[in-house]
Amino acid sequence: MTDVASYRYPAGRLLIFARAPVAGAVKRRLAAGIGVEAAARVYGELLRGTLDMALQARLAPVELCVTPDTSHPAILSLLDGRAVAARAQRGADLGQRMYTALQQALRTAEFALLIGTDCPAMTEDYLDQACRELRSGRDLVVGPAEDGGYVLIGARHGYSELFESIPWGTTEVLPATRERAQSLGLRYAELPVLWDLDTPADLARWRAQQHTHPEESPP
């Protein structure tokens, strides 16, 4: 068991939202171009890379929030030997699952960050910047995505309004979140814009970057 005090932000939590890498259940837009089996392999690579990056950063204790549950062999294999807690996501839709995960973490943490697994551009420095914003007293921090959503959201308190009736999967996610934050009067920060890997073009972009910077490729 890792000593919590060894983290840079021991009172924080880093939550990674993930799915079991089952063919046909992950990366459907990518699968339309490369097939369900290949898309599942790419998703598994992204998941493993995201988890390793988060753990190696040693910013805060890491939790893997999985749907449908944590019992899939690929998830169990991923957790083996890694200092990470795992729990199943709970809620009727994405917003409810995200809100529930943040609320659960904030019962014992000063702040919590929630990220997905499909942003290969995310780095330790990016996560550290988010942590610093929350430690400085910001209520909310968001990492915008090029497609109009976000790649990261972090908070010091739970705000259900940020996750209710949001048009998930559309270009209106970030604008709607900004509007809710403003209406709540939150002290709010945005990080630099990053990109998600959702399509074959995004995959080509990632592979090109891996070729240019092979040391950044996940093991």
Side-chain angles (χ1 to χ4, degrees):
M1 181 67 66
T2 302
D3 181 5
V4 173
S6 68
Y7 292 101
R8 200 175 310 172
Y9 306 96
R13 296 293 182 274
L14 177 53
L15 314 179
I16 301 175
F17 252 43
R19 288 182 173 273
V22 177
V26 295
K27 288 291 163 205
R28 290 187 174 90
R29 289 172 61 193
L30 180 63
I34 69 172
V36 294
E37 296 290 346
R41 287 194 296 271
V42 170
Y43 182 80
E45 187 178 352
L46 288 165
L47 171 55
R48 185 170 59 254
T50 300
L51 181 57
D52 285 343
M53 181 272 293
L55 290 170
Q56 290 165 12
R58 302 195 62 76
L59 294 170
V62 176
E63 296 182 7
L64 189 66
C65 303
V66 184
T67 188
D69 58 55
T70 61
S71 64
H72 190 277
I75 297 297
L76 295 176
S77 175
L78 188 67
L79 295 173
D80 187 33
R82 290 177 169 89
V84 56
R87 66 183 66 201
Q89 297 175 23
R90 295 284 181 257
D93 61 19
L94 176 61
Q96 193 174 94
R97 295 197 303 270
M98 293 169 68
Y99 172 68
T100 299
L102 284 169
Q103 279 286 83
Q104 194 165 26
L106 289 169
R107 292 174 186 167
T108 56
E110 177 185 324
F111 66 83
L113 298 178
L114 191 153
I115 64 174
T117 58
D118 54 0
C119 182
M122 189 172 292
T123 64
E124 171 185 338
D125 288 343
Y126 196 85
L127 295 175
D128 185 49
Q129 184 178 350
C131 290
R132 284 187 278 113
E133 291 287 358
L134 293 171
R135 274 286 298 271
S136 74
R138 299 279 191 180
D139 299 307
L140 179 71
V141 61
V142 172
E146 287 182 357
D147 63 6
Y150 53 75
V151 300
L152 173 153
I153 188 166
R156 297 173 60 87
H157 304 283
Y159 304 100
S160 60
E161 295 90 341
L162 296 173
F163 304 98
E164 294 171 347
S165 302
I166 298 293
W168 304 110
T170 74
T171 59
E172 296 304 310
V173 171
L174 183 60
T177 304
R178 285 180 182 138
E179 183 179 338
R180 301 285 178 86
Q182 291 167 0
S183 69
L184 290 167
L186 302 183
R187 292 166 295 177
Y188 168 59
E190 283 191 12
L191 303 180
V193 178
L194 297 182
W195 58 279
D196 285 325
L197 197 162
D198 292 319
T199 66
D202 296 332
L203 177 59
R205 180 180 184 178
W206 185 37
R207 295 306 190 204
Q209 291 183 356
Q210 289 178 308
H211 179 73
T212 303
H213 305 287
E215 72 278 1
E216 296 179 6
S217 302

